[in-house]
Amino acid sequence: MTIENLSQAKVFGGWHKQYSHYAQSLNSSMRFAIFLPPNATASNPVPALYWLSGLTCTDENFMQKAGAFRAAAELGIAIIAPDTSPRGDDVADDENYDLGKGAGFYLNATQAPWSKHYQMYDYIVDELPKVIEANFPVSEVKAISGHSMGGHGALTIGLKNSERYRSISAFSPISNPMQCPWGQKAFTAYLGTSIESWKEYDATELLKLGRTKLPMLVDQGDADSFLHEQLKPESLIHAASLHGSELNLRMQAGYDHSYYFISTFIEEHLRFHAKYLFAE
């Protein structure tokens, strides 16, 4: 399990570091970034927030734009930001931004040519946490969050693995991908035409199955240009209400889909997660 340090910078007493490693689950080299707060030591491993970014993003978008480090340093929370898809010359791609590289959708592809590399679900759930916990002073206590496509990933991964995470949050998530153009395109390519297989990666469908144990915080801007066609938060609200799942979905007046929106509310999300990450 060899990882290579690509860059590092001290920030708010902690460290932002970027690494590459070979991901067995993806059959490709991957890059991730980690923020370690000042109190993270071998004798004091800290809990972690895994952040999943959206379409076209890499590990850099959140780390450079979200403004999360001050609060994470104060709270003593590590942040891990993986890339959004496998990369490399032999990795299948598409000429459009919403499929292929930068658009992994945090699922395990079953269809050629995507299935060779696009096993992002396994990477996020299993392989990456093992890499992090083996190489850094980070405990197995974790929460998950994300934006847009990454909000979809955070919700579905958290809902399917409630024993692995303490809490879930999301900004502008693709809440019902089976019913929106982004999701339908990606699911058809990666998973084929079986609607039952699509349900495994749709947060609305997963919430319909029963009450989740995990608390969820979702922020959605009402000026988001993707709100009605792609994101569909009303579907998530309805599904959560069926069995009384703990969802706090806040419509934020005037905010759009950008990192200006994320940076405004990221501290509230970190404090939300801290309540559960540090609970006995």
Side-chain angles (χ1 to χ4, degrees):
M1 191 183 294
T2 302
I3 64 173
E4 178 186 359
N5 181 233
L6 302 176
S7 67
Q8 62 182 34
K10 193 168 186 178
V11 53
F12 292 110
W15 288 92
H16 169 270
K17 300 184 178 186
Q18 191 179 55
Y19 289 85
S20 67
H21 74 114
Y22 186 81
Q24 297 289 339
S25 55
L26 304 176
N27 295 305
S28 69
S29 179
M30 283 294 282
R31 197 174 70 188
F32 67 85
I34 183 169
F35 170 73
L36 291 168
N39 66 323
T41 64
S43 60
N44 183 50
V46 297
L49 176 67
Y50 283 75
W51 171 271
L52 308 183
S53 288
L55 289 166
T56 76
C57 292
T58 69
D59 61 290
E60 295 182 335
N61 294 71
F62 178 83
M63 294 304 209
Q64 294 180 4
K65 297 179 180 180
F69 298 146
R70 182 192 296 272
E74 174 197 333
L75 295 167
I77 297 172
I79 301 173
I80 294 95
D83 202 345
T84 54
S85 77
R87 308 279 177 171
D89 293 340
D90 64 334
V91 173
D93 198 11
D94 187 85
E95 63 183 10
N96 297 301
Y97 76 95
D98 53 359
L99 188 67
K101 295 177 186 177
F105 270 82
Y106 305 102
L107 50 73
N108 285 341
T110 59
Q111 306 299 301
W114 312 103
S115 55
K116 181 180 179 181
H117 296 287
Y118 286 76
Q119 306 295 311
M120 286 296 293
Y121 178 88
D122 283 352
Y123 178 68
I124 299 299
V125 173
D126 292 315
E127 185 170 3
L128 183 59
K130 289 177 182 176
V131 171
I132 297 300
E133 291 160 24
N135 288 279
F136 302 99
V138 173
S139 75
E140 63 181 14
V141 177
K142 52 187 175 288
I144 192 164
S145 186
H147 171 232
S148 193
M149 178 186 72
H152 140 77
L155 287 167
T156 56
I157 287 173
L159 291 171
K160 288 161 68 75
N161 298 275
S162 60
E163 75 285 357
R164 295 175 182 257
Y165 303 95
R166 295 286 184 88
S167 50
I168 306 169
S169 77
F171 290 85
S172 316
I174 304 173
S175 297
N176 195 185
M178 292 177 62
Q179 302 300 327
C180 78
W182 279 340
Q184 291 166 351
K185 178 178 180 178
F187 285 6
T188 301
Y190 296 143
L191 302 173
T193 57
S194 169
I195 300 301
E196 288 304 308
S197 68
W198 292 16
K199 290 180 179 179
E200 290 295 312
Y201 299 103
D202 187 306
T204 293
E205 292 298 322
L206 292 171
L207 278 172
K208 288 179 181 178
L209 297 176
R211 179 181 173 86
T212 180
K213 300 176 182 177
L214 299 182
M216 297 174 286
L217 172 64
V218 174
D219 273 322
Q220 173 64 63
D222 70 2
D224 191 323
S225 60
F226 302 114
L227 176 60
H228 300 294
E229 182 181 25
Q230 303 283 11
L231 306 180
K232 302 186 181 299
E234 66 280 357
S235 298
L236 193 70
I237 293 170
H238 173 70
S241 71
L242 294 176
H243 304 285
S245 293
E246 188 182 342
L247 169 66
N248 180 13
L249 195 151
R250 311 185 300 187
M251 294 298 297
Q252 302 290 3
Y255 287 92
D256 59 16
H257 200 71
S258 72
Y259 267 84
Y260 296 113
F261 172 44
I262 295 170
S263 66
T264 301
F265 297 102
I266 191 60
E267 181 174 343
E268 293 182 25
H269 281 239
L270 286 166
R271 295 191 184 281
F272 162 78
H273 288 296
K275 290 189 298 183
Y276 304 100
L277 289 171
F278 294 104
E280 294 297 331

